[in-house]
Amino acid sequence: MPQCGMTVSSPAEEIRFFLPGPAYVLEDVRRALTAPMVAHRSPEFKDLYRSVTERLKPVFRTQQEVLTATGSATLLMELAVVSTVRRDVLHLVNGAFSARWHAVSLAAGKQADRIDVPWGRAVDPDLVRQALGRKRYDAVTLVHNETSTGVVNPLEDIARGVKESSDALILVDAVSSLGGAPVETDAWGLDLVLTGGQKALALPPGLSFFTASDRALEQAETVVPRGFYTDLLRYRDKHEAAGPITTPMISAFYAADVQLDRILNEGMEARWQRHRELAEATSEWVEARGLTWACDRAHRSWTVSCLRPPPGVAAPEVVAAAAEKGYTLGPGYGDFKPTTFRIGHMGEVRPRDLARLLAVLDDVLDELQGSSKRD
Ligand code: PLP
């Protein structure tokens, strides 16, 4: 691939961008985007493609092939249902992105049922077992880490329940967890796991990644039609020839080439541990400040904290005041838009970056609470 003087050393960049996706992208990865183009069917690109997809296997914790798509993660949510669901699909819904998956299935003409859990709560594996006892489904979908509420669902237990009580595939959106919290594709028997590059992998948006089990691939053979850009088997067949299905975002592959070395040098366990420590440091601050969470304590995400502001302060005011001080937070999302703000502590965020943000938020909240008392 073209040389552009990239390194994988960890530059001492100060991160002030805490959006829960896209996450902050480090400078050497950004610079990689500017390398010259190559032909996407050339031997050079095939080498890069093979190298990137091989290095994604330990990230997904799988021996299966990791496939890539140029497009955002929603494309893969659509691909998953279009390619593997003949008729009936069950969606576990506890936030905006899990509700989106249900909407995607309806738009694709599937018989899409949903179990709704209040926003801010995790999905109970027993509810899933009960639903699977009542009706047969081709697949069950779950968003592992609900970015809209900061809830992480008990994926391992739910996947076990699905396997023990049915022959449904388990399709997993790991968009805001993969790379920042454990996702054990093979050990947990997950049939399709998808993610976007722009969250805990800290890549620029544009490329999405997924794996499919043999069972998922076999089931796809029985589904007609599967579309073209959404055809899982087309991705598998092209991948076997070391290529993407169409012209890929080549520059995003250059970026992934640099960033995957950084991720694997850190090591998956160490990366998860860093994210866990970021979530814990945020928790300590939240408790010291007397703020409240928008989600259950037992199911708090390691990559995103969804918080309610103190009484008298509006969530959008917190986001705006932080922006004035040069810090980007996530606003609330979907039903939680007016009442919450979110701290995305994912990707390459270090404890020192978070500590600086929390100190700034102390000032922001003091000022906003001071002015709300004067009003
Ligand atoms: N799923 C989850 C959990 C997300 O957080 C997002 C985006 O924030 C998506 C899906 C959709 O991703 P994209 O915007 O890449 O399509």
Side-chain angles (χ1 to χ4, degrees):
M1 72 162 279
Q3 294 299 304
C4 56
M6 299 168 292
T7 67
V8 291
S9 62
S10 196
E13 280 173 64
E14 191 179 311
I15 296 181
R16 295 174 171 214
F17 189 78
F18 295 86
L19 205 68
Y24 187 83
V25 177
L26 289 173
E27 193 188 350
D28 56 354
V29 180
R30 299 199 305 271
R31 264 197 283 130
L33 289 167
T34 64
M37 287 301 117
V38 290
H40 65 288
R41 301 289 177 211
S42 64
E44 266 172 303
F45 185 78
K46 281 188 180 177
D47 286 350
L48 173 62
Y49 178 90
R50 270 197 211 95
S51 157
V52 164
T53 53
E54 278 303 308
R55 279 177 288 159
L56 281 164
K57 290 182 181 177
V59 178
F60 274 78
R61 310 284 273 197
T62 188
Q63 305 291 325
Q64 296 161 179
E65 297 305 311
V66 179
L67 308 173
T68 65
T70 290
S72 85
T74 307
L75 166 66
L76 295 184
M77 295 164 87
E78 184 155 347
L79 174 148
V81 288
V82 167
S83 282
T84 70
V85 174
R86 283 183 295 264
R87 212 184 76 133
D88 296 288
V89 54
L90 177 64
H91 294 277
L92 311 180
V93 177
N94 63 337
F97 295 103
S98 36
R100 177 185 294 186
W101 218 345
H102 177 252
V104 164
S105 289
L106 289 178
K110 306 297 178 185
Q111 289 285 319
D113 293 346
R114 56 195 272 176
I115 297 179
D116 273 280
V117 174
W119 282 40
R121 304 244 185 94
V123 175
D124 176 352
D126 286 339
L127 278 183
V128 185
R129 282 178 190 263
Q130 286 159 19
L132 292 171
R134 289 192 292 271
K135 181 170 169 185
R136 193 198 162 275
Y137 290 97
D138 294 330
V140 176
T141 78
L142 175 76
V143 171
H144 183 208
N145 192 78
E146 245 305 346
T147 325
S148 59
T149 63
V151 164
V152 64
N153 282 306
L155 173 55
E156 183 180 6
D157 291 348
I158 291 171
R160 189 181 311 116
V162 171
K163 296 263 151 224
E164 287 174 2
S165 52
S166 76
D167 64 352
L169 299 175
I170 171 107
L171 312 178
V172 180
D173 167 331
V175 171
S176 58
S177 54
L178 197 123
V183 177
E184 297 282 3
T185 301
D186 289 357
W188 297 348
L190 310 176
D191 289 298
L192 192 144
V193 177
L194 65 92
T195 197
Q198 76 274 22
K199 306 266 182 184
L201 299 176
L203 285 167
L207 277 187
S208 299
F209 310 112
F210 62 118
T211 62
S213 67
D214 289 343
R215 245 165 46 94
L217 292 163
E218 280 160 25
Q219 190 156 304
E221 303 275 2
T222 69
V223 180
V224 186
R226 296 185 298 271
F228 190 98
Y229 212 50
T230 50
D231 183 358
L232 168 59
L233 300 181
R234 190 178 297 278
Y235 285 80
R236 190 257 332 257
D237 294 346
K238 281 287 189 186
H239 175 82
E240 282 171 5
I245 64 161
T246 54
T247 315
M249 188 178 171
I250 292 170
S251 12
F253 272 90
Y254 299 157
D257 190 32
V258 175
Q259 178 63 4
L260 279 169
D261 274 354
R262 174 179 282 112
I263 291 172
L264 296 177
N265 283 343
E266 181 175 18
M268 295 315 294
E269 281 84 357
R271 199 169 173 86
W272 298 336
Q273 182 59 23
R274 175 168 56 79
H275 282 82
R276 183 183 191 154
E277 287 167 11
L278 293 169
E280 283 169 1
T282 308
S283 286
E284 281 167 23
W285 176 80
V286 168
E287 261 132 54
R289 256 320 312 176
L291 296 183
T292 50
W293 295 82
C295 64
D296 282 351
R297 169 184 270 276
H299 298 287
R300 276 183 210 152
S301 161
W302 290 1
T303 56
V304 56
S305 293
C306 185
L307 304 172
R308 298 193 195 286
V313 175
E317 286 180 315
V318 179
V319 179
E324 268 176 32
K325 294 186 190 293
Y327 283 77
T328 302
L329 295 175
Y333 196 94
D335 293 357
F336 280 3
K337 190 175 179 63
T339 53
T340 67
F341 65 94
R342 295 173 302 155
I343 302 175
H345 31 73
M346 62 173 70
E348 294 307 318
V349 172
R350 304 273 142 187
R352 61 174 182 265
D353 303 310
L354 183 69
R356 270 192 304 264
L357 170 74
L358 297 178
V360 166
L361 285 181
D362 273 330
D363 292 344
V364 161
L365 292 176
D366 287 346
E367 287 164 20
L368 290 173
Q369 284 179 284
S371 64
S372 88
K373 278 192 195 112
R374 283 193 298 278
D375 288 344

